[in-house]
Amino acid sequence: MENNIYKFFILLFSVLYVTATTAQRSINSQRPNIIVIMTDDLGYADVGFNGSKDIPTPNIDRIAQQGVVFTNGYTSYSVCSPSRAGFITGRYQQRFGYERNVQHRPNDPNMGLPQDEKTLAEVLKKVGYSTGIIGKWHLGNHISKHPLNRGFDYFYGHLGGGHMYFPELLTIKDSRTASELETYRTWILENHTPVKTTKYLTDEFSEKAVSFIEEQKSNPFFLFVSYNAPHTPLQASEKYLERFTQIKDEKRKTYAAMVSAVDDGVGEILNKLKILGLEENTLVYFLSDNGGPEHRNASDNGPLRAGKSSIYEGGNRVPFAFRWPQKIPQMVYRYPVSALDIFSTVAAVAEIPIEYHKPLDGKNLIPFLTGVYKSRPHQTLFIRKFDDDLFSVIHGDYKLITKKSNKIKELYDLNNDLSEQNNIAKEHPEIVAKLDSLRINWNNELIDPVFLGLIHTEMWKNRKKKTLESNNQRSK
Ligand code: CA
């Protein structure tokens, strides 16, 4: 008798287990894959879908042609590290004091992404996704900040903000012993292990991204392809340089070649999805982490004013495209959207429960793109630059900029003055007052920066001093 009851329960548990795992498998097989391709310091006008004439990007353009071009796509900051902190948490990074480019401080557990913020990789991993990051991290060097400790199963890249591209220049094996300046020369890490690379770095990253897709083709996966190109140093291999013999300016030529290498990589990633039959049910995002620093890397932000690190449009309005053939038709979408929306959109499509005590600042864009919602996804978008004492508030078509503790106010009508040339603050005091009150309310939700940044290092101060000296020299 006892034996029969025992057998019955064994059978019952087996049936339940098989049913549960089959159900999980079927949920997983429907869950879309997620790929975010983020470039570094790419100019707004340097992709075909935003009108580039001298740098063809046929592969990046495939994402746009088969999906959505966001003409007004913003990141949440205008330099690398805070922008990435915003993207990966889906929250304004000023809420948790992340307002500076991190320093290389492998022994400092407070330098980088706070442990009580959740990354997109962490929440996706929890619901069964395989998670990988290829390329630049830039969210802290302490072991607790390492991608493998922040939700990723696989990492192939560098922890710092930029990197040399040729293998023979990567001469420092152990990144923990490197100085701030030397971090660009360290070996690439595969998970925790330094490895010697053999190829031009962009090619190396593209190849690893394709391998990751091949290896994870049977699971739902999240792949963050975080190219450090076309961030300085300007270095390109002959294969790409020879495509741009018509560009006479050497800097622009090298930059173009670097962008072209990224475009080839994007092509390989998209081809792999197609071959594996994953094209239809994979969300692919393409964007830059901030605007182009036009003078430094010869990028081009087109009609936008200024560039990287600025509070003007060139600082954080970026090339931004999205493709999900199974659900989203081809379109040009003109309402402002944010890189913060990636987290919210992915959370919705992957059915991830959200912690409401830490609100996301992004929106799930799917109902906006399918036409269920006709309104703007964001009534208002904000930036605060603590160290520069700057704010921007985009509300409707208007943008308010405040400087010097709110003593200087500029108001632009972005719909009619994309290049922010006509300050209309004096003509519209009521609009200024309204946007300013939104700014004050938002600022009350933020905290001061919780760590010092790159600008506080000796390396940065020396660089600034040198630039000033050379400017003085020139003006004499
Ligand atoms: Ca950047």
Side-chain angles (χ1 to χ4, degrees):
M1 182 65 185
E2 257 181 34
N3 203 15
N4 280 348
I5 290 174
Y6 178 72
K7 276 184 187 159
F8 170 76
F9 276 109
I10 293 281
L11 186 68
L12 181 67
F13 281 126
S14 307
V15 169
L16 287 176
Y17 178 76
V18 170
T19 315
T21 47
T22 314
Q24 186 60 43
R25 236 177 264 143
S26 104
I27 290 171
N28 280 349
S29 68
Q30 289 158 10
R31 280 196 164 127
N33 305 303
I34 319 291
I35 299 180
V36 176
I37 303 169
M38 188 176 275
T39 52
D40 197 352
D41 294 7
L42 180 66
Y44 181 82
D46 290 328
V47 287
F49 70 81
N50 277 352
S52 175
K53 294 276 185 291
D54 59 345
I55 311 176
T57 56
N59 294 298
I60 296 167
D61 295 348
R62 272 162 69 191
I63 300 170
Q65 282 153 6
Q66 299 163 354
V68 184
V69 174
F70 294 115
T71 57
N72 297 25
Y74 294 92
T75 52
S76 62
Y77 208 76
S78 56
V79 301
C80 316
S81 193
S83 162
R84 287 152 190 271
F87 147 68
I88 210 140
T89 59
R91 286 159 47 74
Y92 282 120
Q93 62 283 349
Q94 295 95 337
R95 292 192 189 282
F96 47 89
Y98 203 125
E99 218 163 325
R100 292 165 175 155
N101 267 331
V102 283
Q103 298 177 9
H104 173 66
R105 296 273 293 274
N107 298 320
D108 182 353
N110 295 317
M111 180 62 69
L113 194 66
Q115 301 306 115
D116 55 356
E117 293 297 322
K118 289 257 185 300
T119 72
L120 186 54
E122 282 163 345
V123 297
L124 284 167
K125 191 178 161 81
K126 230 179 181 171
V127 296
Y129 274 74
S130 305
T131 52
I133 167 171
I134 313 290
K136 165 168 164 171
W137 177 239
H138 211 199
L139 291 168
N141 300 59
H142 187 262
I143 186 67
S144 62
K145 315 291 183 203
H146 188 283
L148 294 198
N149 294 322
R150 298 313 314 259
F152 287 97
D153 301 320
Y154 181 72
F155 171 51
Y156 186 88
H158 54 89
L159 295 171
H163 226 71
M164 299 279 172
Y165 292 85
F166 295 118
E168 61 272 23
L169 299 177
L170 310 186
T171 51
I172 299 165
K173 186 174 176 185
D174 185 354
S175 65
R176 285 166 302 181
T177 61
S179 70
E180 189 72 60
L181 204 60
E182 289 169 339
T183 55
Y184 277 44
R185 294 183 173 274
T186 58
W187 286 21
I188 292 304
L189 289 175
E190 181 159 39
N191 297 325
H192 293 290
T193 312
V195 293
K196 241 191 169 338
T197 47
T198 55
K199 299 186 183 69
Y200 180 60
L201 195 58
T202 301
D203 295 343
E204 188 92 30
F205 288 157
S206 300
E207 195 173 285
K208 289 289 174 187
V210 170
S211 311
F212 181 87
I213 296 168
E214 171 67 37
E215 282 158 22
Q216 302 303 328
K217 61 187 172 196
S218 317
N219 312 313
F221 62 81
F222 165 47
L223 176 60
F224 178 23
V225 188
S226 179
Y227 286 112
N228 61 308
H231 192 292
T232 52
L234 292 177
Q235 294 173 349
S237 60
E238 208 44 52
K239 174 183 170 189
Y240 301 111
L241 283 168
E242 67 187 21
R243 295 177 184 175
F244 296 97
T245 49
Q246 79 285 5
I247 300 181
K248 298 298 167 218
D249 178 77
E250 279 304 314
K251 259 173 96 173
R252 178 74 180 169
K253 180 177 173 175
T254 310
Y255 171 85
M258 292 166 80
V259 175
S260 200
V262 170
D263 187 68
D264 273 26
V266 172
E268 285 157 29
I269 290 166
L270 297 180
N271 290 346
K272 191 70 190 173
L273 291 177
K274 194 166 190 174
I275 291 163
L276 295 174
L278 300 175
E279 189 175 55
E280 283 292 310
N281 201 25
T282 300
L283 285 77
V284 180
Y285 287 93
F286 178 88
L287 73 164
S288 178
D289 64 342
N290 50 251
E294 293 179 320
H295 298 297
R296 295 202 70 201
N297 70 354
S299 53
D300 179 5
N301 295 318
L304 307 182
R305 180 167 171 181
K308 178 177 181 176
S309 96
S310 169
I311 201 84
Y312 294 104
E313 292 287 283
N316 73 319
R317 193 195 282 209
V318 294
F320 203 150
F322 168 57
R323 187 186 83 170
W324 187 15
Q326 198 177 80
K327 300 272 163 123
I328 305 297
Q330 191 278 328
M331 74 182 81
V332 175
Y333 193 80
R334 297 188 187 280
Y335 281 146
V337 301
S338 167
L340 304 179
D341 299 331
I342 296 174
F343 194 119
S344 301
T345 304
V346 167
V349 303
E351 297 168 23
I352 298 166
I354 298 303
E355 282 182 58
Y356 287 99
H357 66 279
K358 284 203 171 180
L360 295 178
D361 289 304
K363 293 282 168 63
N364 168 18
L365 292 183
I366 301 301
F368 294 92
L369 300 175
T370 52
V372 175
Y373 298 155
K374 310 273 186 224
S375 59
R376 288 169 182 265
H378 296 274
Q379 291 306 313
T380 317
L381 287 170
F382 301 96
I383 286 198
R384 179 181 77 179
K385 294 198 76 193
F386 186 89
D387 293 315
D388 300 331
D389 198 0
L390 291 168
F391 286 87
S392 89
V393 181
I394 293 176
H395 183 76
D397 291 331
Y398 291 104
K399 174 168 172 179
L400 174 72
I401 291 173
T402 71
K403 301 177 177 177
K404 297 193 188 281
S405 303
N406 210 19
K407 286 189 197 76
I408 298 174
K409 291 186 173 74
E410 298 173 12
L411 183 72
Y412 299 100
D413 173 359
L414 293 179
N415 204 27
N416 295 305
D417 180 21
L418 175 61
S419 304
E420 298 168 285
Q421 297 298 305
N422 304 306
N423 176 8
I424 52 172
K426 285 208 170 74
E427 290 92 312
H428 296 285
E430 72 297 345
I431 299 173
V432 170
K434 184 180 173 188
L435 271 58
D436 206 33
S437 73
L438 294 169
R439 176 187 73 82
I440 291 162
N441 290 341
W442 178 69
N443 190 42
N444 285 337
E445 297 171 10
L446 313 179
I447 62 171
D448 287 357
V450 295
F451 54 80
L452 292 176
L454 201 58
I455 54 165
H456 303 104
T457 60
E458 285 308 308
M459 183 198 88
W460 194 268
K461 286 174 192 160
N462 288 339
R463 196 163 99 180
K464 202 160 184 192
K465 211 169 116 198
K466 267 190 201 154
T467 314
L468 282 175
E469 280 166 5
S470 89
N471 286 349
N472 289 341
Q473 209 65 37
R474 244 177 280 154
S475 61
K476 271 177 196 166

